[in-house]
Amino acid sequence: QGHTKGIKDFISVLMLYKENAADNIEIAVKKALSSGAGSSQAVKHILLKFRTPEMVSDQRQLRLKQ
C-alpha cells in the first residue's frame, strides 16, 4: 500500500505541470523535501503560497542561488 501511495503522489506532482511553471514545481518540491514534508499535498500547498508577495521574493532568491 505504501508503494501505491508513493506512485499516486508522484502522479499528483506530475499533474501540477498542467497549471504551473516547471521552475515553480521544482522549487516547491525542493522546499517540501527540505522541510521534511515529502507529499504531493505539501508541494501543492507551497505552490499556492507562491502566489503571495513574500513567496515571490523567496522564489527569486532561490533561482539566484541555483
Side-chain angles (χ1 to χ4, degrees), residues 60-66:
R60 285 189 193 120
Q61 290 174 6
L62 282 172
R63 284 188 183 152
L64 290 174
K65 290 179 185 177
Q66 296 175 351

Side-chain angles (χ1 to χ4, degrees), residues 14-63:
L14 290 177
M15 296 296 287
L16 294 172
Y17 282 90
K18 285 182 164 183
E19 298 177 5
N20 296 278
D23 286 349
N24 290 348
I25 294 171
E26 184 177 333
I27 292 167
V29 167
K30 286 179 181 180
K31 277 183 141 327
L33 292 175
S34 69
S35 70
S39 71
S40 61
Q41 289 298 318
V43 175
K44 287 179 188 178
H45 179 74
I46 293 167
L47 284 170
L48 286 174
K49 290 189 74 174
F50 276 163
R51 296 183 179 128
T52 64
E54 61 272 6
M55 284 299 288
V56 170
S57 175
D58 287 349
Q59 186 179 0
R60 285 189 193 120
Q61 290 174 6
L62 282 172
R63 284 188 183 152

